[in-house]
Amino acid sequence: MVKVNENYLKLKAGYLFPEIAKRVKIYSQSNNSSEIIKLGIGDVTEPLPKACRDAMGKALNEMGTAEGFKGYGPEQGYSWLREKISDHDFISRGCKISPEEIFVSDGSKCDSSNILDILGKDNSIAVTDPVYPVYVDSNVMTGRTGDALINGTYKGLTYLAINEENNFLPELPQKKVDILYLCFPNNPTGATITKEELKKWVDYALQNNSLILFDAAYESFIQDKNIPHSIYEIEGAEDCAIEFRSFSKNAGFTGVRCAFTVIPKNLKGFSSTNEEIALWPLWNRRQSTKFNGVSYIVQRGAEAVYSLEGKKEVRGLIDFYMENAKIMKNKLQTAGYKVYGGDNAPYIWIKVPDKMTSWDFFDFLLQKVSVVGTPGSGFGLSGEGYFRLSAFNSRSNVLEAMERIINI
Ligand code: MLT
């Protein structure tokens, strides 16, 4: 008799975005679905940069020739892409990250879950609250938590609240934690962290032999020059942190799929006999066994992000979405909403009015003005009373959605 992974039975409800999609589907069955404006899931809407399309087209044609055809590529990614990433994203910012330390993949969501393959089951784990749900759910699925409590949190996880009182910056854990998930610019709150604040986390991790899993998928949206783009801008981070990056949001690759994870060669964990074990060979082994790499065509597209033309176009996309964020923030603030985020991140984090719950406000906006956002409580207990709007949409949709909301 086949047994299932019972950890899945501990999961609360559906994954947040499918749950939203379900409610929207029900609503659209009895309403005019063309009226609905979706500012829920952070999915890009603008066309792919021409530089990337040209590079992918060229690569596709190359694959149609006997000389240019490619079969399996390196599981870690092609060296020409890893070199570009190392130079442009790290060396240029003073971070000593070599091409070998970069593993190209098909997404940060998968990498931030798959990384658990190389980490022991007994590690204590801390996440912020609210948090990108994938970090929590992937720990639940792999049996690293206890059961869900009535309030939706899981036994065994340490939750670090981020809220208005602490400016959406978590406090260091009171007790020793082995693995810390940090995401900056933050999804969902849009908050950022300064170098001084981030240094406290790196110091904590170094002192406690902890590992920071740093999700920097939104780094390209940073406008303020003093905010770090990479955790490796902080001294010592190569000894205590893994970083996740993505081409999804900057170059519009959500449907193309390309990302990368940085595992410094120096980074160590420990065996049960307290022997130091480098994480790089473990991840390399994991990827070589379970992953066949990202397609040649897509990697050529990602490489074009670093060309002169590509950089210009990506800048244009980011400026466009950040202008959306600015419009949204200004309009909502003028209408009396308390609004956070949106300055260095494509997410606007709104305080829900009139003591409504986050899901009440979701239903209210959907029913009243056909606008879809994401309930803050879907990101965790401390997200209750908040609501996330994504700046990823066309200008006309953003303007229309704001008009509808402020005129309710
Ligand atoms: C979100 O809306 O939070 C993002 O789409 C998450 C993701 O990139 O997977």
Side-chain angles (χ1 to χ4, degrees), residues 251-376:
F253 272 38
T254 53
V256 176
R257 308 308 309 149
C258 198
F260 58 93
T261 288
V262 182
I263 316 254
K265 291 250 170 109
N266 270 349
L267 193 59
K268 311 257 178 15
F270 293 86
S271 71
S272 54
T273 51
N274 286 342
E275 208 188 320
E276 278 195 341
I277 311 278
L279 295 183
W280 188 95
L282 302 188
W283 185 247
N284 193 44
R285 183 73 171 82
R286 191 263 170 216
Q287 292 298 81
S288 313
T289 304
K290 294 196 181 186
F291 186 56
N292 267 331
V294 175
S295 85
Y296 172 71
I297 297 164
V298 165
Q299 290 192 62
R300 282 294 185 201
E303 184 194 27
V305 165
Y306 300 101
S307 66
L308 267 183
E309 197 46 43
K311 279 189 172 182
K312 216 164 84 194
E313 289 183 88
V314 165
R315 188 72 257 155
L317 285 173
I318 289 164
D319 289 349
F320 175 80
Y321 292 126
M322 289 312 288
E323 182 62 23
N324 279 353
K326 195 167 156 194
I327 292 170
M328 292 161 77
K329 192 164 182 174
N330 286 343
K331 296 240 181 211
L332 292 166
Q333 276 176 333
T334 310
Y337 284 91
K338 224 171 176 188
V339 185
Y340 300 93
D343 298 327
N344 292 285
Y347 294 124
I348 308 285
W349 190 241
I350 308 172
K351 185 102 178 131
V352 167
D354 300 332
K355 296 197 167 51
M356 282 181 179
T357 67
S358 301
W359 277 109
D360 286 346
F361 192 61
F362 173 90
D363 290 329
F364 174 75
L365 283 191
L366 182 61
Q367 305 290 336
K368 281 258 181 208
V369 291
S370 301
V371 172
V372 179
T374 308

Side-chain angles (χ1 to χ4, degrees), residues 69-356:
F69 176 77
K70 309 240 169 347
Y72 293 124
E75 293 90 354
Q76 302 78 359
Y78 284 98
S79 57
W80 34 261
L81 176 57
R82 298 167 89 196
E83 277 158 20
K84 293 266 169 23
I85 295 170
S86 162
D87 279 353
H88 292 259
D89 286 327
F90 297 103
I91 304 294
S92 71
R93 292 191 187 279
C95 312
K96 290 184 227 76
I97 296 297
S98 71
E100 298 74 49
E101 295 174 308
I102 292 157
F103 289 82
V104 177
S105 76
D106 60 346
S108 290
K109 177 166 153 180
C110 337
D111 281 358
S112 68
S113 314
N114 292 338
I115 198 71
L116 295 175
D117 271 10
I118 64 162
L119 300 169
K121 288 235 165 143
D122 298 334
N123 288 304
S124 50
I125 292 154
V127 292
T128 61
D129 171 21
V131 71
Y132 179 42
V134 172
Y135 312 152
V136 172
D137 288 0
S138 56
N139 275 287
V140 176
M141 289 169 172
T142 53
R144 287 169 161 86
T145 69
D147 289 331
L149 300 172
I150 205 106
N151 64 10
T153 62
Y154 288 92
K155 274 193 212 153
L157 282 187
T158 298
Y159 291 88
L160 308 169
I162 51 176
N163 49 39
E164 286 159 294
E165 286 73 53
N166 58 23
N167 222 1
F168 300 99
L169 276 182
E171 311 277 339
L172 289 169
Q174 304 283 322
K175 56 178 193 221
K176 183 178 163 345
V177 169
D178 301 313
I179 298 174
L180 305 147
Y181 286 82
L182 291 179
C183 172
F184 287 105
N186 187 251
N187 179 12
T189 66
T192 48
I193 192 163
T194 60
K195 279 192 183 165
E196 293 67 37
E197 282 294 327
L198 191 52
K199 183 174 181 320
K200 291 185 194 163
W201 290 86
V202 169
D203 290 346
Y204 171 95
L206 292 172
Q207 270 155 26
N208 292 289
N209 286 322
S210 313
L211 173 67
I212 300 176
L213 298 177
F214 192 74
D215 186 346
Y218 298 94
E219 61 75 34
S220 50
F221 294 88
I222 293 173
Q223 310 287 308
D224 183 336
K225 295 218 168 355
N226 297 318
I227 295 172
H229 286 245
S230 166
I231 195 166
Y232 305 117
E233 289 178 51
I234 313 299
E235 206 187 323
E238 315 87 67
D239 296 324
C240 65
I242 287 175
E243 184 164 298
F244 303 103
R245 290 275 192 109
S246 172
F247 295 101
S248 283
K249 312 291 160 98
N250 59 349
F253 272 38
T254 53
V256 176
R257 308 308 309 149
C258 198
F260 58 93
T261 288
V262 182
I263 316 254
K265 291 250 170 109
N266 270 349
L267 193 59
K268 311 257 178 15
F270 293 86
S271 71
S272 54
T273 51
N274 286 342
E275 208 188 320
E276 278 195 341
I277 311 278
L279 295 183
W280 188 95
L282 302 188
W283 185 247
N284 193 44
R285 183 73 171 82
R286 191 263 170 216
Q287 292 298 81
S288 313
T289 304
K290 294 196 181 186
F291 186 56
N292 267 331
V294 175
S295 85
Y296 172 71
I297 297 164
V298 165
Q299 290 192 62
R300 282 294 185 201
E303 184 194 27
V305 165
Y306 300 101
S307 66
L308 267 183
E309 197 46 43
K311 279 189 172 182
K312 216 164 84 194
E313 289 183 88
V314 165
R315 188 72 257 155
L317 285 173
I318 289 164
D319 289 349
F320 175 80
Y321 292 126
M322 289 312 288
E323 182 62 23
N324 279 353
K326 195 167 156 194
I327 292 170
M328 292 161 77
K329 192 164 182 174
N330 286 343
K331 296 240 181 211
L332 292 166
Q333 276 176 333
T334 310
Y337 284 91
K338 224 171 176 188
V339 185
Y340 300 93
D343 298 327
N344 292 285
Y347 294 124
I348 308 285
W349 190 241
I350 308 172
K351 185 102 178 131
V352 167
D354 300 332
K355 296 197 167 51
M356 282 181 179

